[in-house]
Amino acid sequence: MADTILVVAEQREGKLNRVSLETIAGAQAISKETGWPVEVVLAGSDIGSLAQELAAKAVARVSVLEAPALTTYTSDAYVFALKQFIQEKQPKLVLFPHTYQVRDFAPRLALALDRSLISDAVGYKYENGRLLFTRQMFQGKFAADVSFAGDGPWLATFQIGAFRGDQAEAGSAPVENVTAAVSEGSPRVTPHEVFQEAKQAVDLSQSEVIVAVGRGIKEQKNLALAEELAKALGGEVAASRPICDNGWLPLERQIGSSGQTVAPKLYVALGISGAIQHLVGMKGSRTIVAINKDPEAPIFEIADVGVVGNLFDVVPALTEEIKKAKSA
Amino acid sequence: MKILVCIKQVPQKDAPLKLNESGTWIREDVSYEVNEPDAYALEEALRQKEKHGGEVVVITAGPVRAQQVLREALAKGADRAIHLEDDKFVQLDSTNTARAIAAAAAEENFDLIVTGLQSDDFGAAQTGVLLAEILGLPHATIIIGIEKTDSGLRLKRELEAGHYQFIDLPTPAVLTIQSGINKLRYASLIGIKQAKNKPLRKVAWAEVEPKLSKNLQQIERLYVPVKQKKTEMIEGPAAEVARKVTEYLKNTARVI
Ligand SMILES: Cc1cc2nc3c(=O)[nH]c(=O)nc-3n(C[C@@H](O)[C@H](O)[C@H](O)COP(=O)(O)OP(=O)(O)OC[C@H]3O[C@@H](n4cnc5c(N)ncnc54)[C@H](O)[C@@H]3O)c2cc1C
Ligand SMILES: Cc1cc2nc3c(=O)[nH]c(=O)nc-3n(C[C@H](O)[C@H](O)[C@H](O)COP(=O)(O)OP(=O)(O)OC[C@H]3O[C@@H](n4cnc5c(N)ncnc54)[C@H](O)[C@@H]3O)c2cc1C
């Protein structure tokens, strides 16, 4: 059988997760170099209309893997159905978006197939006929090129934002309906409704200026430094996850993949290292200023202005200077 | 409940890291600490034990230095520890790491196994889920709330962008724990003293080797990532830095 790339697209409650298109774009890029055609599979029930959107991309085929057991996501049902499907299709490479759902079942699926999963890749390289996946290591301080040993199918997940979904090439693909394999037992996990916590008092997505603090702020009482800077700039205070985990600021002020996504005119990051889960929530900001004592901190990768220094010295001076500039 | 907590020792967050000679990992002469979410997993296990009784066992796979994370856990209140002790353990991929832990834990029949959701060094976010597959147990990931029920557990699962979901799960089970699920405790002086007398079982490489197989992925090279954006770097005395940043904000970025 010829080698193919299979993209496992994601839907939740009948809505296509747009990051699936990013993974298709990634698969198309790999396909250009390897010559392996791209196919897509979408699992669920009653999802034919979603398949149409996927079929409008330049891929060889879209398979709709359906069964009532796949209506609501459970790892048991997904692993069972996808294992059977992949064993029949024998693709060379299986690609997923690195979503919470994929994190939940893809490692199990890989092992059930007696194969390996390279998770959270930010890109790939095709060198002398070998496919390598690039992933961030040590919280973004390093990158690594990782290869598969042994036979396919090889499984890999792409980090959100690794490719641009709007650059997935358009086309027209046939849609194939496949009845999913369903295990005899019922799933062991019983999921309930997805919900959000109570309404939020602040909407940071509307703020033009955000001053965000990270663990470099050291103690809760030092938040005053950030508050004064925010006041001088006419902005709001936000934070990285550890600050909210500590209860120093409410969860609604957390920026990142499990918090808010913002794109203000100005984002000032104080003592934030720049882990990817934080960056995805703020990298769309127009101007990013980062203050960090570590010149190697990954936050500097995406900052427009980087200040290497002790925030306890720099921030008070900056607050004063901005007050002066504003009153001038 | 009889609970197993998987704890990985990782380089300290602020430690300056350097590449090793072969360019496949970092040089080992750095300070180490407990992987952050694993500390939350331990705390949660201790709280469940305090509420419902039982036993908390901690396990790590790694070189001699990794014993430190077990000592800290015992000092915080874990009852005993298992150390898969060998330099070779850190060269295993997630699948083989899970196999090694499973081999050491299988006969103990734990009601609950908790891991962190991912490590701060390699960060595969797979070991816990793989452990469940190997042991044939149900699992749940990115958990930020655990409540015992008559039939098992009611869990609060974190989803993307501020969304959550409750799920029910029978035990025995494997959970991967998210940072922030609880507030961490410090070890007490008495705890630190008592830890010295708590049992620590060492498991040698040879004991679990038959359960392992070849790594199915390999690190070709490790390197400092190439910068994608042009960053204007400013260094110097605070007052001067403040002036330059303010100028930039005023004249280039035009935000003040
Ligand atoms: C090819 C390859 C080569 C490697 N070489 C090295 C090397 O030379 N030196 C080195 O230090 N590392 C090396 N690693 C990293 C390796 O040891 C990983 O830790 C291992 O793959 C487990 O995956 P992870 O750290 O990504 O854990 P994740 O899957 O991200 O971890 C999730 C959770 O699993 C538990 N867990 C994970 N690992 C352990 C452990 N060892 N003990 C107890 N609990 C654990 C923890 O609770 C953790 O929070 C290598 C990895 C690969 C794939
Ligand atoms: C599934 C998942 C979801 C997540 N969701 C989010 C999320 O939504 N938002 C989020 O932020 N994180 C999230 N995280 C956590 C993320 O991976 C990082 O752990 C976190 O962002 C780190 O926060 P930090 O930068 O404040 O702390 P650290 O990484 O500890 O960085 C602190 C920084 O402060 C600097 N510093 C220390 N002292 C000073 C000083 N005196 N002056 C200047 N600089 C100083 C240090 O050099 C360091 O760079 C998530 C993780 C996972 C696995």
Side-chain angles (χ1 to χ4, degrees):
Chain A
M1 223 183 302
D3 289 334
T4 59
I5 304 173
L6 179 69
V7 172
V8 179
E10 178 169 309
Q11 58 86 23
R12 276 178 258 173
E13 284 133 30
K15 277 204 199 92
L16 187 69
N17 189 344
R18 314 295 306 170
V19 298
S20 306
L21 302 177
E22 296 181 9
T23 312
I24 290 175
Q28 287 173 338
I30 296 175
S31 171
K32 288 231 165 70
E33 296 195 52
T34 57
W36 305 337
V38 180
E39 299 195 6
V40 182
V41 62
L42 183 69
S45 74
D46 215 2
I47 46 167
S49 57
L50 304 185
Q52 290 308 325
E53 188 171 354
L54 298 167
K57 300 297 163 196
V59 296
R61 184 205 312 269
V62 175
S63 301
V64 183
L65 187 62
E66 285 188 302
L70 298 174
T71 308
T72 317
Y73 165 79
T74 62
S75 54
D76 282 346
Y78 264 59
V79 169
F80 198 91
L82 282 168
K83 179 186 171 188
Q84 182 109 346
F85 182 79
I86 290 168
Q87 273 174 338
E88 273 164 25
K89 292 265 175 185
Q90 285 299 317
K92 181 78 171 174
L93 179 65
V94 185
L95 297 174
F96 310 76
H98 191 68
T99 62
Y100 276 44
Q101 187 166 301
V102 166
R103 294 168 66 118
D104 195 63
F105 76 86
R108 258 193 121 130
L109 174 63
L111 191 52
L113 290 162
D114 202 14
R115 290 296 183 273
S116 186
L117 173 73
I118 295 180
S119 44
D120 211 8
V122 293
Y124 74 93
K125 288 177 183 143
Y126 192 59
E127 285 178 0
N128 311 318
R130 294 186 69 219
L131 194 55
L132 307 177
F133 287 87
T134 305
R135 49 191 316 284
Q136 294 176 313
M137 307 272 288
F138 299 92
Q139 301 255 26
K141 290 184 193 119
F142 291 100
D145 293 338
V146 185
S147 63
F148 285 101
D151 299 332
W154 299 326
L155 289 78
T157 70
F158 276 129
Q159 188 169 91
I160 312 305
F163 294 91
R164 288 190 48 180
D166 58 2
Q167 285 178 356
E169 225 174 277
S172 163
V175 175
E176 165 198 60
N177 290 301
V178 184
T179 305
V182 179
S183 89
E184 311 228 309
S186 48
R188 293 167 289 186
V189 178
T190 313
H192 300 279
E193 301 257 296
V194 172
F195 65 96
Q196 266 182 303
E197 299 286 13
K199 260 249 161 296
Q200 317 197 316
V202 284
D203 182 7
L204 291 178
S205 66
Q206 301 303 315
S207 309
E208 299 211 324
V209 175
I210 290 176
V211 176
V213 292
R215 198 165 4 215
I217 201 80
K218 300 269 185 332
E219 287 182 64
Q220 185 169 17
K221 66 171 175 22
N222 298 335
L223 284 176
L225 281 178
E227 277 154 11
E228 278 156 37
L229 178 59
K231 205 169 135 210
L233 286 164
E236 292 279 349
V237 173
S240 68
R241 178 164 186 135
I243 302 301
C244 299
D245 281 350
N246 283 342
W248 296 354
L249 280 174
L251 199 64
E252 61 196 34
R253 290 187 186 268
Q254 179 181 312
I255 306 299
S257 60
S258 50
Q260 308 292 313
T261 299
V262 295
K265 283 187 184 157
L266 174 63
Y267 191 92
V268 185
L270 309 177
I272 292 178
S273 62
I276 181 63
Q277 295 86 4
H278 187 80
L279 301 188
V280 294
M282 47 67 78
K283 67 180 177 195
S285 306
R286 208 173 73 196
T287 299
I288 298 170
V289 176
I291 303 176
N292 197 303
K293 65 169 188 191
D294 175 9
E296 311 286 344
I299 188 82
F300 290 132
E301 302 284 323
I302 62 140
D304 298 281
V305 177
V307 176
V308 180
N310 184 344
L311 74 90
F312 297 105
D313 299 333
V314 177
V315 174
L318 184 58
T319 305
E320 280 318 303
E321 202 60 43
I322 284 165
K323 278 190 196 155
K324 260 197 262 167
K326 280 211 163 174
S327 60
Chain B
M1 271 197 287
K2 186 172 167 186
I3 309 175
L4 180 70
V5 187
C6 301
I7 305 181
K8 185 179 188 186
Q9 194 189 39
V10 296
Q12 224 163 42
K13 281 201 192 60
D14 276 8
L17 306 177
K18 294 197 191 71
L19 288 179
N20 68 8
E21 260 139 48
S22 52
T24 52
W25 199 255
I26 54 153
R27 280 176 45 176
E28 300 263 335
D29 52 343
V30 295
S31 339
Y32 287 88
E33 65 184 4
V34 171
N35 186 47
E36 186 169 24
D38 305 3
Y40 286 95
L42 170 66
E43 177 65 41
E44 199 53 33
L46 294 172
R47 288 179 185 215
Q48 294 299 327
K49 180 193 145 180
E50 282 154 12
K51 259 189 242 161
H52 307 292
E55 189 187 14
V56 173
V57 182
V58 288
I59 189 167
T60 197
V64 175
R65 61 167 159 78
Q67 199 192 101
Q68 179 60 24
V69 301
L70 300 177
R71 289 280 166 218
E72 283 172 31
L74 293 172
K76 284 185 171 184
D79 299 291
R80 60 192 166 89
I82 305 171
H83 189 177
L84 292 148
E85 191 191 85
D86 199 298
D87 291 353
K88 292 198 277 290
F89 281 114
V90 293
Q91 273 149 30
L92 298 176
D93 62 15
S94 308
T95 310
N96 279 315
T97 303
R99 285 185 179 124
I101 293 172
E107 280 164 24
E108 295 238 27
N109 294 315
F110 289 100
D111 300 307
L112 188 63
I113 300 178
V114 287
T115 74
L117 83 169
Q118 72 185 54
S119 68
D120 283 344
D121 53 4
F122 192 88
Q126 295 193 38
T127 307
V129 181
L130 293 166
L131 202 49
E133 178 69 14
I134 294 162
L135 295 170
L137 299 178
H139 80 277
T141 48
I142 320 197
I143 297 305
I144 54 154
I146 302 177
E147 221 179 286
K148 198 172 174 302
T149 60
D150 294 338
S151 57
L153 301 169
R154 157 87 32 130
L155 305 166
K156 188 175 179 188
R157 198 174 158 230
E158 178 184 298
L159 297 172
E160 282 110 338
H163 288 75
Y164 301 92
Q165 182 180 38
F166 283 104
I167 58 178
D168 292 317
L169 196 66
T171 49
V174 180
L175 308 179
T176 81
I177 304 295
Q178 170 66 297
S179 296
I181 182 175
N182 48 41
K183 296 275 164 288
L184 301 178
R185 74 188 63 190
Y186 293 99
S188 65
L189 275 176
I190 302 175
I192 295 168
K193 251 197 204 146
Q194 284 172 342
K196 296 201 177 90
N197 302 318
K198 288 181 176 172
L200 190 155
R201 175 162 72 94
K202 289 188 185 174
V203 179
W205 175 261
E207 289 177 59
V208 298
E209 197 180 5
K211 301 277 187 203
L212 308 179
S213 60
K214 197 172 158 277
N215 278 348
L216 291 181
Q217 53 181 271
Q218 57 210 36
I219 300 174
E220 299 284 329
R221 52 182 106 93
L222 192 73
Y223 51 92
V224 177
V226 249
K227 260 192 190 258
Q228 300 193 340
K229 191 163 170 179
K230 232 183 109 33
T231 306
E232 192 170 322
M233 295 302 282
I234 303 178
E235 271 177 85
E240 190 186 315
V241 166
R243 208 162 358 91
K244 284 186 184 158
V245 173
T246 306
E247 251 164 50
Y248 183 95
L249 295 181
K250 206 169 161 184
N251 302 327
T252 311
R254 298 175 181 277
V255 284
I256 48 174

